[in-house]
């Protein structure tokens, strides 16, 4: 795992709403989850690779 996409590195970024650690699942499942959450107009997702891939989920500002 590289230093740039480790869960510890993700935790140091600006306060995401969620960090999803997948464990031992297929890459297709990880991509499906990322794409499904990414369809929300209120969420932004970033799938970070490496040996232990994680999905960072952040709330997108709402114009109310």
């Amino acid at each position: 795992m590289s230093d740039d996409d480790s869960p510890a590195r993700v935790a140091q970024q600006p306060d995401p709403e969620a960090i999803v650690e997948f464990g031992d699942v297929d890459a297709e499942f990880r991509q499906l989850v990322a794409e499904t959450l990414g369809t929300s107009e209120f969420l932004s997702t970033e799938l970070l690779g490496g040996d232990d891939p994680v999905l960072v989920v952040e709330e997108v500002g709402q114009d109310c």
Side-chain angles (χ1 to χ4, degrees):
M1 177 185 315
S2 71
D3 291 336
D4 293 337
D5 53 19
S6 69
R9 170 95 171 125
V10 172
Q12 294 173 1
Q13 293 178 353
D15 195 25
E17 274 55 67
I19 298 175
V20 180
E21 296 181 22
F22 289 99
D24 187 24
V25 299
D26 291 334
E28 292 83 10
F29 178 76
R30 292 188 298 266
Q31 189 65 35
L32 175 64
V33 172
E35 289 176 2
T36 301
L37 290 175
T39 61
S40 170
E41 62 185 87
F42 304 111
L43 297 176
S44 169
T45 62
E46 182 178 2
L47 187 58
L48 303 177
D51 292 336
D52 296 317
V54 296
L55 178 66
V56 177
V57 181
E58 297 185 67
E59 184 178 20
V60 175
Q62 301 174 27
D63 297 332
C64 296

